[in-house]
Amino acid sequence: MQNNIELYFSALTQNETFARAVIAAFAAQMNPSIEELSDLRTAVSEAVTNAIIHGYERDGSRCVKMRCTIDGDLLTVAVRDDGCGIPDVELARKPFYTSKPELERSGMGFAVMEAFMDRVTVESALGKGTTVTMEKRICHAER
Amino acid sequence: MEINAQKRGSGLVASLVGELDQHNAEKARIMLDTMLRDITIRDLTLDLSGVTFMDSAGLGVVLGRYKTIHMRGGRVIVTGVSAAVDRIFRMSGIYTLVERR
């Protein structure tokens, strides 16, 4: 049976630490290794940061949605914003590309998500928003 | 985010304590840049032993300070790198610019 949680929170960067704590607490039942937990926390942090500073351009009155699903040993996290959308997803996913060089972003957000999760898919529509869906098999899971 | 810094000759050792995510990266950047206004500083050592979390925003902080220091002809050194921080440093290729000790 699937286990789901859904979380809505204001698009404020101080909620990044909260989002990381939530994914770690939810994934704990899968008995992950310390490294797997670290990977999950980092990937979620990247996706949430993108939603806040790119999707919503730091408009803290907007809401980020995070949906997490456990299905056997597979953990799926979908981070959604209803913000501006990404004009060119392929370009945005390229390492070192950033649309906000003035913020000193490293342009490594998607590269980190891809390195630390097994699968990352991005659905985006201009003016409608972006959903980043990330999957990871937790090898330490009890079967 | 807390930064304790100590100047030794032309080197600055800055110890970062806390989670280096986007929220704290902005604070860290302002604090470090304020310290680096002292143009007699050539080399920067970032002691990351107190960093309990880092994502790509932290990479941006290190790369940004590297640019400043590199223009002065100095070096950036990172110490106290945890296994988790090391993974993100390695995947980014930052060790070609910044020395780990």
Side-chain angles (χ1 to χ4, degrees), chain B residues 1-3 16-20 24-25 27-28 31 51:
Chain B
M1 171 63 37
E2 201 181 297
I3 301 180
L16 283 69
V17 179
E19 298 190 300
L20 203 45
N24 287 324
K27 296 178 196 168
M31 286 191 274
V51 172

Side-chain angles (χ1 to χ4, degrees), chain A residues 29-110:
Chain A
Q29 62 192 292
M30 303 174 84
N31 193 24
S33 66
I34 288 169
E35 194 170 88
E36 286 168 336
L37 264 186
S38 169
D39 290 353
L40 289 172
R41 283 160 46 87
T42 310
V44 162
S45 195
E46 300 291 352
V48 169
T49 299
N50 278 352
I52 294 170
I53 72 166
H54 296 293
Y56 288 136
E57 302 270 346
R58 294 170 175 268
D59 179 355
S61 70
R62 307 296 297 276
C63 184
V64 179
K65 182 180 163 190
M66 187 166 125
R67 184 184 165 88
C68 312
T69 301
I70 294 172
D71 190 350
D73 62 359
L74 184 67
L75 178 67
T76 306
V77 187
V79 176
R80 191 182 112 191
D81 67 70
D82 301 312
C84 63
I86 304 171
D88 185 341
V89 170
E90 206 183 321
L91 179 65
R93 291 181 74 144
K94 281 199 173 131
F96 302 110
Y97 171 79
T98 177
S99 60
K100 294 197 187 301
E102 73 282 4
L103 280 182
E104 215 174 56
R105 302 279 303 146
S106 63
M108 292 296 285
F110 277 120

